[in-house]
Amino acid sequence: MNAARNTMGEPVPAPPPVILVVEDDVLVRSMVAAFLRECGFGVIEANGADEAIRVLQAEIRVDIVFSDIQMPGSMDGFGLARWVRRERPWLKVILTSGAARTAKEVGDLCETGPILAKPYDHAELERHIRALLAR
């Protein structure tokens, strides 16, 4: 397969992977989004599942959904993960929460196993994301 080339014949770099960060706490969302941008990822921010679904339905490129579980709105993070599994099964999901829930439910919805517990280490989040992208 040939790489895309610009008008000078030089290879055009692939766009960075895009992470959809879904978090209703604006300070937490802003901090994690800024960190992920520093890591070289593209980031789209959503304040809840309803907004995240609108982004996904708009056919905007997203590689991973990183979502809090407890959020106001019509569905929580588990509901969003179920929607993603049904409507965008190729899309990878990472869930995070300060509250525990059954590992089985998380295992059915996430590729990386258990919930990433809050407060999570940003470096650990980056490792999870890079591991998922490498698959």
Side-chain angles (χ1 to χ4, degrees):
M1 175 161 73
N2 294 334
R5 301 206 176 261
N6 66 16
T7 57
M8 303 290 289
E10 300 165 341
V12 176
V18 176
I19 313 302
L20 175 57
V21 176
V22 188
E23 168 65 62
D24 62 307
D25 184 320
V26 68
L27 294 176
V28 172
R29 186 177 67 240
S30 296
M31 285 180 14
V32 73
F35 172 77
L36 292 172
R37 286 183 183 106
E38 288 174 12
C39 293
F41 298 113
V43 177
I44 300 170
E45 298 178 44
N47 66 5
D50 297 324
E51 187 175 358
I53 288 171
R54 284 193 296 275
V55 167
L56 296 170
Q57 288 175 328
E59 301 297 327
I60 296 169
R61 187 179 134 246
V62 172
D63 297 292
I64 294 178
V65 175
F66 175 58
S67 178
D68 188 22
I69 291 174
Q70 295 181 311
M71 296 179 291
S74 68
M75 68 179 74
D76 62 8
F78 282 112
L80 175 60
R82 282 188 209 88
W83 185 93
V84 169
R85 283 287 162 262
R86 185 178 64 251
E87 302 295 329
R88 307 288 188 276
W90 61 89
L91 197 55
K92 295 167 174 61
V93 176
I94 300 172
L95 293 175
T96 185
S97 180
R101 197 125 167 217
T102 67
K104 181 189 181 320
E105 187 169 5
V106 174
D108 291 342
L109 298 171
C110 298
E111 290 79 6
T112 60
I115 296 170
L116 192 57
K118 283 183 179 179
Y120 49 84
D121 177 69
H122 284 164
E124 181 181 355
L125 172 59
E126 181 186 9
R127 282 191 299 276
H128 275 275
I129 290 171
R130 294 203 186 278
L132 282 177
L133 292 170
R135 290 184 187 175

